[in-house]
Amino acid sequence: MRLTLTTVYAAMVALALLGGCVEGGQRADGDAVVTDTVVTDTTTGRVPLKHRAAAAMCDDERSTAGPDIPGGAGAPVDCTSHADCQSGDNGRCVGNSHDGWYCTYDLCFADEDCGPSPKVCECGGGFRSDHNVCLHEGNCRVDADCGASGYCSPSLGSCGDYTGTVGYYCHTAADECVDDADCAGEPSTFGSPYCAYNPTAGKWACSNQQCAG
Amino acid sequence: MSSRAAWVGLALLAACTADAPLSDLERGAAYVSDPAYRRAALERSLVAPDNGYSALRLERYTEASWGALPVWNPRARPVLVSDLGGPVPNPGVDWEPLDLDVPWEEAALSALGARAFSAYPAQVEPALLMALTDADAPARFGLWVDGDRVGGLVWAETPGGVQPAFSCASCHAIPRDDGPGLVLGAPNHAIDFGALLDASHSAHTSAGRWGPGRVDVTPDDVDNPTVIADLRAVRFQRDLNRAATISNDLMALTVRLETAVITNSREAVRPPRELAFALAWYLWGLGDALPALPADGAGAAVFARECGRCHLPPGLAGPPVALAAVATDPTVGESPWRGTGAYQTTSLRGVARRGRLLAGGAIDSLERLLDPDRVDGGHRYGQTLDDADRASLLAVMRDLR
């Protein structure tokens, strides 16, 4: 059975009664991710665990470890050292024996580097790599884009945590879930169900990893 | 009462009373109106009830589960060349859902299926915005432009706003090579959906390595991109999907299409059942236009000797062949999601228009498939022919367009 809004609201009310204020957090890379604050919201009834209160500049720090490329790697090797990666900002040679080794660069430092709203610069959001990347999907950059007491949260796509955050979307009263925990009891097909923006439904809903096709 | 409702009623009556077998359209009407009928069609069609594809459907293809999903027939309009580089449009007065109230008759249902094939938002995909950023963007991802239409894409109105979506024609149609217009049903072996996903997410995932014309359709944690099917030949396939997941008939195809729209939406919506049947009925008819193998001549004789025991005339398809026997790359067939231990013996009707051959798309031409020097890729049949036999075989195969 799908989680009904009534269940969600019941859970939210319970949480709201129990929960006071948990401290907000700042990610090491500078992107503000607030963990929990006072429940003031009227749109979703509950503050999502992850939401983007404010856009922050991303830093230009990247790991200098590696690359540790084993001899005779079967996957393609486009670079062998960080010094090989000179055609962008903060190049690093990254990879693994499944995906191969290739250069990655910081593609942005601020949302505006990615184009008009709602494009977001995701700090350290690279695929299996710590470079800053542009997210081209979504419908908000920050909570304020979602109206008074609105929340703009990072969403996984159809391929679950394999691809990581694919965009930021507003929560609305139509949502079937707010956080992944709301989906724990959902039937699963592959991996654990998670709470993500469903672009067909036009709202957040529990989702099973589907990976295209 | 609409004529559709009347037909459904009649068909139900027929299903309950008559001993005579139902006509195709009566079957379609029974599928629309009778949950037990469509459930039985599903159960009959699943070749390996234990694989993920089957297990999911056996669990959820019920009235209480997928049957209770909202019906998806949103207001939509085609993506046009004039949209390229512009903002996401707002719904206008010309945005329409598909008109489903058609007479339950062969021609009317075919026409509805044909419309739906390129107008119905079969799969909403936000990443498609990356293919619409400028005039050159569609070509970068292998989307065709035909007149004012771009890649068969449509804008669909969702409760959360307008989103770009694939229609069937995005993956299953190609431009004609002899003038304007499309070959509907032929596989678009240029489209690079994986590259599009990676571009939208600024990522470097295995999707970027699927290659044009292939999509990893299975949530099984295995990289097993599968070649896009040639739907013109669908009526001739003994089984559906390269992994031979589904035993094919008109009802099996209908249920396959219905459930594909459901899973592509991550189980958020279901298509109108009239639409699923109309699409299947339309596709069923596409085979009529495909040339057959000539009855005699040198090429036909070579085919009969070397190929005809598996690719049976007239459909040039046949029972599935064990993965080890055909010896092509087994990755697609081994999928715990769609796999059955064998590959579909794919119909060769229309084969000359396919840019990619075999389940994983490893081979790019008939010449290469029959090349005596080819060592990779399996399917060794016909590789030891002498030059004259190979030439006459290739000549008849090239006419299968």
Side-chain angles (χ1 to χ4, degrees):
Chain A
M1 258 236 358
R2 300 212 150 247
L3 203 67
T4 63
L5 259 189
T6 338
T7 353
V8 176
Y9 276 123
M12 290 186 302
V13 170
L15 264 182
L17 286 176
L18 279 174
C21 314
V22 189
E23 233 175 292
Q26 188 84 0
R27 264 176 29 183
D29 51 27
D31 206 5
V33 170
V34 181
T35 45
D36 211 351
T37 45
V38 206
V39 179
T40 51
D41 176 62
T42 49
T43 337
T44 62
R46 187 173 98 215
V47 184
L49 283 176
K50 292 183 210 153
H51 62 100
R52 203 162 182 252
M57 287 287 290
C58 302
D59 64 31
D60 59 359
E61 280 157 38
R62 296 194 59 189
S63 165
T64 51
D68 301 315
I69 308 176
V77 176
D78 298 342
C79 54
T80 56
S81 76
H82 299 320
D84 290 345
C85 301
Q86 299 296 334
S87 29
D89 287 323
N90 306 316
R92 296 287 187 279
C93 181
V94 302
N96 56 66
S97 51
H98 180 246
D99 301 319
W101 278 266
Y102 50 91
C103 293
T104 63
Y105 303 94
D106 281 330
L107 301 177
C108 53
F109 297 95
D111 293 350
E112 291 68 30
D113 297 343
C114 297
S117 189
K119 295 188 186 223
V120 164
C121 180
E122 180 78 346
C123 300
F127 175 72
R128 295 179 181 168
S129 167
D130 63 354
H131 59 294
N132 308 329
V133 297
C134 291
L135 303 178
H136 299 280
E137 299 169 18
N139 63 15
C140 58
R141 276 178 166 167
V142 293
D143 292 344
D145 295 340
C146 304
S149 331
Y151 292 102
C152 174
S153 294
S155 176
L156 300 176
S158 55
C159 207
D161 57 12
Y162 176 63
T163 27
T165 297
V166 298
Y168 283 75
Y169 288 92
C170 293
H171 283 278
T172 73
D175 292 348
E176 288 174 23
C177 56
V178 178
D179 300 308
D180 291 340
D182 301 330
C183 301
E186 288 287 286
S188 71
T189 47
F190 193 86
S192 319
Y194 52 94
C195 184
Y197 186 79
N198 184 310
T200 314
K203 60 184 176 185
W204 289 75
C206 293
S207 187
N208 280 293
Q209 183 181 326
Q210 196 55 46
C211 299
Chain B
M1 184 160 75
S2 72
S3 52
R4 173 165 35 107
W7 265 106
V8 170
L10 271 180
L12 259 187
L13 257 182
C16 299
T17 57
D19 292 335
L22 299 183
S23 72
D24 286 341
L25 263 51
E26 285 166 345
R27 265 191 271 274
Y31 153 84
V32 169
S33 60
D34 182 355
Y37 185 86
R38 51 181 180 261
R39 171 79 192 184
L42 169 85
E43 290 179 5
R44 257 197 326 271
S45 73
L46 298 171
V47 169
D50 292 338
N51 65 23
Y53 182 95
S54 305
L56 180 69
R57 281 158 180 76
L58 289 170
E59 180 187 299
R60 307 206 186 152
Y61 193 65
T62 63
E63 289 317 282
S65 183
W66 286 352
L69 291 173
V71 174
W72 170 250
N73 185 19
R75 293 207 298 160
R77 78 143 165 88
V79 173
L80 304 175
V81 169
S82 55
D83 292 325
L84 296 174
V88 173
N90 291 315
V93 284
D94 54 334
W95 289 43
E96 302 271 7
L98 280 162
D99 179 4
L100 303 174
D101 198 12
V102 303
W104 202 258
E105 294 163 8
E106 296 192 357
L109 286 166
S110 277
L112 172 58
R115 264 200 317 282
F117 193 75
S118 30
Y120 183 67
Q123 185 173 343
V124 169
E125 180 47 72
L128 281 169
L129 292 176
M130 292 306 279
L132 305 175
T133 52
D134 58 87
D136 300 326
R140 282 201 290 277
F141 300 101
L143 294 170
W144 45 260
V145 171
D146 177 51
D148 60 355
R149 293 248 2 217
V150 180
L153 305 179
V154 289
W155 297 112
E157 184 182 32
T158 81
V162 172
Q163 292 279 1
F166 289 111
S167 73
C168 310
S170 306
C171 293
H172 295 289
I174 50 174
R176 305 198 70 85
D177 46 18
D178 57 355
L182 297 168
V183 185
L184 294 164
N188 180 0
H189 284 166
I191 195 172
D192 198 338
F193 185 21
L196 184 75
L197 289 171
D198 268 7
S200 186
H201 308 146
S202 302
H204 192 282
T205 70
S206 56
R209 296 190 296 273
W210 292 346
R214 283 152 278 184
V215 181
D216 189 343
V217 292
T218 49
D220 53 13
D221 226 11
V222 184
D223 286 339
N224 46 12
T226 309
V227 78
I228 296 172
D230 186 344
L231 299 184
R232 297 171 304 159
V234 77
R235 187 177 80 217
F236 303 120
Q237 310 292 5
R238 232 227 31 187
D239 303 275
L240 295 175
N241 299 347
R242 298 306 290 237
T245 322
I246 299 162
S247 177
N248 189 23
D249 63 34
L250 181 59
M251 285 301 104
L253 175 61
T254 305
V255 175
R256 185 210 180 278
L257 299 182
E258 181 189 0
T259 60
V261 172
I262 293 170
T263 54
N264 285 341
S265 76
R266 286 188 263 157
E267 303 176 48
V269 295
R270 67 175 176 85
R273 295 201 183 91
E274 298 86 339
L275 189 92
F277 178 72
L279 265 172
W281 175 248
Y282 161 70
L283 295 177
W284 215 244
L286 287 181
D288 296 340
L290 287 176
L293 208 61
D296 39 39
V302 178
F303 189 93
R305 195 178 73 225
E306 306 283 337
C307 323
R309 70 188 160 99
C310 295
H311 299 278
L312 306 168
L316 312 186
V321 176
L323 302 179
V326 65
T328 52
D329 181 343
T331 319
V332 168
E334 284 169 349
S335 162
W337 195 260
R338 289 196 176 184
T340 59
Y343 275 135
Q344 171 198 65
T345 299
T346 307
S347 170
L348 303 181
R349 300 280 294 265
V351 70
R353 282 204 205 262
R354 301 176 198 159
R356 291 267 148 207
L357 303 173
L358 306 181
I363 302 282
D364 64 0
S365 69
L366 293 167
E367 289 74 10
R368 174 124 175 74
L369 188 71
L370 296 176
D371 182 347
D373 297 329
R374 177 175 65 86
V375 289
D376 60 321
H379 193 285
R380 301 243 155 275
Y381 322 109
Q383 277 191 284
T384 54
L385 293 173
D386 65 32
D387 289 354
D389 278 356
R390 184 167 44 256
S392 42
L393 178 60
L394 278 171
V396 291
M397 306 258 321
R398 285 191 196 109
D399 286 340
L400 297 173
R401 311 172 45 81

Short mmCIF file of all heavy atoms in Angstrom, two decimals, chain A residues 109-135:
data_model
loop_
_atom_site.label_atom_id
_atom_site.label_comp_id
_atom_site.label_asym_id
_atom_site.label_seq_id
_atom_site.Cartn_x
_atom_site.Cartn_y
_atom_site.Cartn_z
N PHE A 109 31.05 27.17 -9.43
CA PHE A 109 31.26 27.51 -8.02
C PHE A 109 30.01 28.15 -7.42
O PHE A 109 29.83 28.19 -6.23
CB PHE A 109 32.48 28.43 -7.86
CG PHE A 109 33.75 27.75 -8.30
CD1 PHE A 109 34.24 27.91 -9.59
CD2 PHE A 109 34.42 26.88 -7.44
CE1 PHE A 109 35.38 27.23 -10.00
CE2 PHE A 109 35.56 26.20 -7.84
CZ PHE A 109 36.04 26.38 -9.13
N ALA A 110 29.14 28.64 -8.29
CA ALA A 110 27.88 29.25 -7.84
C ALA A 110 26.79 28.84 -8.83
O ALA A 110 27.08 28.49 -9.98
CB ALA A 110 28.01 30.77 -7.82
N ASP A 111 25.55 28.88 -8.36
CA ASP A 111 24.43 28.47 -9.21
C ASP A 111 24.44 29.19 -10.56
O ASP A 111 24.18 28.59 -11.60
CB ASP A 111 23.09 28.76 -8.50
CG ASP A 111 22.89 27.88 -7.27
OD1 ASP A 111 23.68 26.94 -7.07
OD2 ASP A 111 21.95 28.16 -6.51
N GLU A 112 24.77 30.48 -10.53
CA GLU A 112 24.72 31.29 -11.76
C GLU A 112 25.67 30.75 -12.82
O GLU A 112 25.45 30.94 -14.01
CB GLU A 112 25.03 32.76 -11.46
CG GLU A 112 23.94 33.47 -10.65
CD GLU A 112 23.83 32.96 -9.21
OE1 GLU A 112 24.85 32.51 -8.64
OE2 GLU A 112 22.70 32.98 -8.67
N ASP A 113 26.75 30.08 -12.37
CA ASP A 113 27.69 29.52 -13.35
C ASP A 113 27.01 28.47 -14.22
O ASP A 113 27.50 28.12 -15.29
CB ASP A 113 28.87 28.83 -12.65
CG ASP A 113 29.70 29.80 -11.83
OD1 ASP A 113 29.56 31.02 -12.06
OD2 ASP A 113 30.47 29.35 -10.96
N CYS A 114 25.90 27.92 -13.74
CA CYS A 114 25.25 26.82 -14.45
C CYS A 114 24.16 27.30 -15.40
O CYS A 114 23.63 26.51 -16.18
CB CYS A 114 24.64 25.85 -13.44
SG CYS A 114 25.88 25.07 -12.39
N GLY A 115 23.81 28.58 -15.32
CA GLY A 115 22.74 29.09 -16.17
C GLY A 115 21.63 29.64 -15.30
O GLY A 115 21.78 29.78 -14.08
N PRO A 116 20.50 29.95 -15.94
CA PRO A 116 19.40 30.58 -15.20
C PRO A 116 18.76 29.63 -14.19
O PRO A 116 18.93 28.42 -14.29
CB PRO A 116 18.40 30.96 -16.30
CG PRO A 116 18.72 30.08 -17.45
CD PRO A 116 20.18 29.75 -17.36
N SER A 117 18.02 30.19 -13.25
CA SER A 117 17.29 29.40 -12.27
C SER A 117 16.35 28.46 -13.05
O SER A 117 15.84 28.86 -14.10
CB SER A 117 16.48 30.33 -11.37
OG SER A 117 15.93 29.61 -10.30
N PRO A 118 16.13 27.24 -12.61
CA PRO A 118 16.50 26.66 -11.32
C PRO A 118 17.79 25.83 -11.33
O PRO A 118 17.97 24.99 -10.44
CB PRO A 118 15.30 25.75 -11.03
CG PRO A 118 14.91 25.25 -12.39
CD PRO A 118 15.22 26.36 -13.36
N LYS A 119 18.69 26.07 -12.27
CA LYS A 119 19.92 25.25 -12.28
C LYS A 119 20.72 25.50 -11.01
O LYS A 119 20.81 26.62 -10.53
CB LYS A 119 20.74 25.57 -13.52
CG LYS A 119 19.99 25.16 -14.78
CD LYS A 119 20.81 25.27 -16.03
CE LYS A 119 19.91 24.98 -17.22
NZ LYS A 119 20.53 24.13 -18.22
N VAL A 120 21.30 24.42 -10.49
CA VAL A 120 22.00 24.49 -9.21
C VAL A 120 23.43 23.99 -9.40
O VAL A 120 23.67 23.02 -10.12
CB VAL A 120 21.27 23.62 -8.16
CG1 VAL A 120 22.16 23.33 -6.96
CG2 VAL A 120 19.97 24.30 -7.71
N CYS A 121 24.37 24.69 -8.72
CA CYS A 121 25.73 24.17 -8.64
C CYS A 121 25.81 23.30 -7.39
O CYS A 121 25.66 23.80 -6.27
CB CYS A 121 26.74 25.31 -8.57
SG CYS A 121 28.45 24.73 -8.45
N GLU A 122 26.01 22.02 -7.57
CA GLU A 122 26.03 21.08 -6.45
C GLU A 122 27.49 20.89 -6.01
O GLU A 122 28.30 20.31 -6.74
CB GLU A 122 25.40 19.75 -6.89
CG GLU A 122 25.36 18.68 -5.83
CD GLU A 122 24.24 18.87 -4.79
OE1 GLU A 122 23.65 19.98 -4.73
OE2 GLU A 122 23.99 17.92 -4.04
N CYS A 123 27.77 21.39 -4.82
CA CYS A 123 29.16 21.36 -4.34
C CYS A 123 29.62 19.92 -4.13
O CYS A 123 28.95 19.14 -3.44
CB CYS A 123 29.28 22.13 -3.04
SG CYS A 123 28.81 23.87 -3.20
N GLY A 124 30.73 19.57 -4.72
CA GLY A 124 31.27 18.22 -4.53
C GLY A 124 30.33 17.13 -5.00
O GLY A 124 30.42 15.99 -4.55
N GLY A 125 29.43 17.45 -5.92
CA GLY A 125 28.37 16.52 -6.31
C GLY A 125 28.69 15.62 -7.48
O GLY A 125 27.80 14.99 -8.03
N GLY A 126 29.95 15.56 -7.86
CA GLY A 126 30.32 14.73 -9.01
C GLY A 126 30.01 13.26 -8.79
O GLY A 126 29.91 12.80 -7.65
N PHE A 127 29.89 12.53 -9.89
CA PHE A 127 29.62 11.09 -9.81
C PHE A 127 30.89 10.37 -9.35
O PHE A 127 31.90 10.38 -10.06
CB PHE A 127 29.17 10.58 -11.18
CG PHE A 127 28.97 9.09 -11.23
CD1 PHE A 127 27.91 8.49 -10.59
CD2 PHE A 127 29.87 8.28 -11.92
CE1 PHE A 127 27.73 7.11 -10.63
CE2 PHE A 127 29.69 6.91 -11.99
CZ PHE A 127 28.62 6.32 -11.33
N ARG A 128 30.85 9.79 -8.18
CA ARG A 128 32.00 9.10 -7.60
C ARG A 128 33.26 9.97 -7.66
O ARG A 128 34.36 9.49 -7.93
CB ARG A 128 32.25 7.76 -8.32
CG ARG A 128 31.09 6.81 -8.09
CD ARG A 128 31.26 5.48 -8.79
NE ARG A 128 30.08 4.65 -8.53
CZ ARG A 128 29.80 3.53 -9.17
NH1 ARG A 128 30.61 3.07 -10.10
NH2 ARG A 128 28.72 2.84 -8.87
N SER A 129 33.07 11.27 -7.42
CA SER A 129 34.17 12.22 -7.51
C SER A 129 33.74 13.48 -6.78
O SER A 129 32.54 13.76 -6.67
CB SER A 129 34.46 12.51 -8.99
OG SER A 129 35.30 13.62 -9.13
N ASP A 130 34.71 14.25 -6.27
CA ASP A 130 34.34 15.39 -5.41
C ASP A 130 34.32 16.73 -6.14
O ASP A 130 34.50 17.76 -5.52
CB ASP A 130 35.29 15.44 -4.20
CG ASP A 130 36.73 15.69 -4.63
OD1 ASP A 130 37.01 15.70 -5.87
OD2 ASP A 130 37.59 15.88 -3.75
N HIS A 131 34.12 16.72 -7.45
CA HIS A 131 34.08 18.02 -8.15
C HIS A 131 32.67 18.61 -8.09
O HIS A 131 31.69 17.90 -7.91
CB HIS A 131 34.57 17.88 -9.59
CG HIS A 131 33.79 16.91 -10.44
ND1 HIS A 131 33.78 15.54 -10.19
CD2 HIS A 131 33.02 17.10 -11.54
CE1 HIS A 131 33.03 14.94 -11.10
NE2 HIS A 131 32.55 15.86 -11.93
N ASN A 132 32.62 19.94 -8.26
CA ASN A 132 31.32 20.64 -8.25
C ASN A 132 30.66 20.47 -9.62
O ASN A 132 31.33 20.63 -10.65
CB ASN A 132 31.50 22.13 -7.98
CG ASN A 132 32.33 22.41 -6.74
OD1 ASN A 132 32.32 21.62 -5.80
ND2 ASN A 132 33.07 23.52 -6.75
N VAL A 133 29.38 20.16 -9.63
CA VAL A 133 28.70 19.94 -10.92
C VAL A 133 27.42 20.76 -11.03
O VAL A 133 26.81 21.13 -10.02
CB VAL A 133 28.34 18.45 -11.13
CG1 VAL A 133 29.59 17.58 -11.18
CG2 VAL A 133 27.38 17.96 -10.06
N CYS A 134 27.00 20.99 -12.25
CA CYS A 134 25.72 21.66 -12.50
C CYS A 134 24.61 20.63 -12.59
O CYS A 134 24.76 19.61 -13.26
CB CYS A 134 25.79 22.42 -13.83
SG CYS A 134 26.90 23.83 -13.79
N LEU A 135 23.51 20.92 -11.93
CA LEU A 135 22.31 20.09 -12.06
C LEU A 135 21.32 20.83 -12.94
O LEU A 135 20.99 21.98 -12.66
CB LEU A 135 21.70 19.80 -10.69
CG LEU A 135 22.64 19.13 -9.68
CD1 LEU A 135 21.93 18.95 -8.34
CD2 LEU A 135 23.13 17.78 -10.21
#
